[in-house]
Amino acid sequence: MFNHLRSNAKTYLGTITAIGASLTTGTLFMSDDFAQPPEYPWNHRFPWQSFDHASIRRGHHVYTQVCATCHSLDMISYRHLIDVAYTVDEMKAFTAELTVEDGPDSEGEMFERKAAITDYHPKPYPNQNAARFSNNGALPPDMSLVIKARSRHEDYVFSLLTSYVDPPTGVKIVGGQHFNPYFPGTKIAMAPPLSEGALEFDDGTDNSVSQMAKDVSTFLAWASEPEHDDRKKMGFKIILGLGLIAVPMFYWKRLKWSTIKTRKIEFKD
């Protein structure tokens, strides 16, 4: 029993040591078996700033070329990206090169056709069983709301994509798994998806792993909240409108209540 406890202690100590050696700004709570990602200065988090739409475009490129082979994006259609990352003509040209499954036809058979801007991003697998079979039993999550589903949002996704390291001494990695200090349990079935220079951006942006991770994290943040920029614009309009109304309303209140507040009531015998 004591040997078993010592073995577990060495394993946990080795994990903590490896995490501490590989991370400089992350947080590790002793109650967790994984590291908390550091907080990064994403511009769109400030109330007065919008998404970086050039980054959204690059992030969509990363998703379609890398992530889409395993992860679906069920809630985003191609038309949602118009006037966000692409023009109408660019999106029509983009979808013209794609095919999607449609149907059934009059004979009850599914068929393939050219994609349209109204189509949603195709699923990489026909069903969950096929997805699990292709990924050693692991089910790749849908990316539509993955940013909202994680407690540290973009910080988590960015840290996960950029922090694959060798497992520390005492940590056993089963075949098909990889060590990542930010993943719960630190053992993840997804192989490192990004590599230096794997993609070329059409605007000439550096194609380092950190840049690709930043861009796809921004894209997924937008995908989880496409109305983000419009909501902020509406909020500023409402605040401005209320600010303009506040001055005359304050004057009107003083005018109406001044006679009531200054009146004097006397009782006579």
Side-chain angles (χ1 to χ4, degrees):
M1 177 178 178
F2 290 106
N3 291 333
H4 177 68
L5 291 175
R6 277 199 298 269
S7 176
N8 287 341
K10 289 180 180 179
T11 299
Y12 294 138
L13 181 60
T15 302
I16 293 172
T17 302
I19 293 173
S22 61
L23 308 176
T24 57
T25 56
T27 303
L28 179 66
F29 297 105
M30 296 305 294
S31 60
D32 295 334
D33 58 354
F34 61 96
Q36 295 293 328
E39 184 175 349
Y40 295 101
W42 303 92
N43 289 336
H44 54 266
R45 285 186 177 175
F46 296 99
W48 58 88
Q49 289 186 320
S50 63
F51 277 113
D52 180 353
H53 288 248
S55 184
I56 293 176
R57 180 180 178 121
R58 294 191 299 268
H60 180 251
H61 182 61
V62 175
Y63 167 78
T64 56
Q65 297 299 314
V66 179
C67 309
T69 57
C70 296
H71 296 278
S72 58
L73 194 68
D74 292 341
M75 300 179 68
I76 299 297
S77 70
Y78 295 112
R79 66 181 177 84
H80 289 143
L81 288 156
I82 295 176
D83 295 331
V84 174
Y86 301 91
T87 64
V88 176
D89 293 337
E90 285 177 330
M91 184 50 67
K92 287 182 177 179
F94 180 84
T95 55
E97 300 178 357
L98 305 175
T99 57
V100 295
E101 187 179 52
D102 202 350
D105 57 15
S106 58
E107 298 179 356
E109 299 292 336
M110 303 299 290
F111 61 93
E112 289 191 348
R113 61 168 175 81
K114 286 188 177 181
I117 60 175
T118 54
D119 289 321
Y120 284 76
H121 288 73
K123 295 182 179 182
Y125 304 104
N127 51 63
Q128 290 189 2
N129 288 341
R132 292 183 184 277
F133 179 78
S134 300
N135 293 276
N136 296 321
L139 179 63
D142 179 74
M143 295 283 99
S144 301
L145 297 174
V146 69
I147 295 294
K148 296 293 185 182
R150 300 299 183 265
S151 60
R152 298 297 292 273
H153 309 304
E154 303 94 316
D155 294 334
Y156 169 79
V157 174
F158 177 83
S159 299
L160 182 76
L161 293 174
T162 57
S163 299
Y164 282 83
V165 293
D166 294 331
T169 303
V171 175
K172 294 182 180 180
I173 300 298
V174 183
Q177 291 185 329
H178 306 270
F179 183 82
N180 193 305
Y182 292 112
F183 187 76
T186 68
K187 299 174 184 178
I188 184 172
M190 180 177 70
L194 303 177
S195 58
E196 296 287 339
L199 301 175
E200 292 292 338
F201 295 124
D202 55 8
D203 60 358
T205 301
D206 176 47
N207 55 357
S208 63
V209 169
S210 59
Q211 181 66 51
M212 289 186 285
K214 179 257 184 185
D215 290 333
V216 76
S217 298
T218 301
F219 167 71
L220 293 176
W222 169 84
S224 67
E225 196 176 7
E227 74 285 355
H228 174 275
D229 291 353
D230 292 333
R231 176 173 54 80
K232 285 187 176 180
K233 289 180 182 178
M234 181 60 68
F236 276 112
K237 291 178 181 179
I238 292 174
I239 292 173
L240 179 60
L242 292 176
L244 294 175
I245 295 174
V247 175
M249 288 298 293
F250 177 75
Y251 176 77
W252 179 83
K253 178 260 182 186
R254 292 291 299 271
L255 180 66
K256 287 292 184 180
W257 284 87
S258 60
T259 56
I260 298 176
K261 287 186 174 182
T262 57
R263 70 183 177 177
K264 184 177 181 181
I265 301 177
E266 294 184 356
F267 296 94
K268 295 183 179 180
D269 294 334

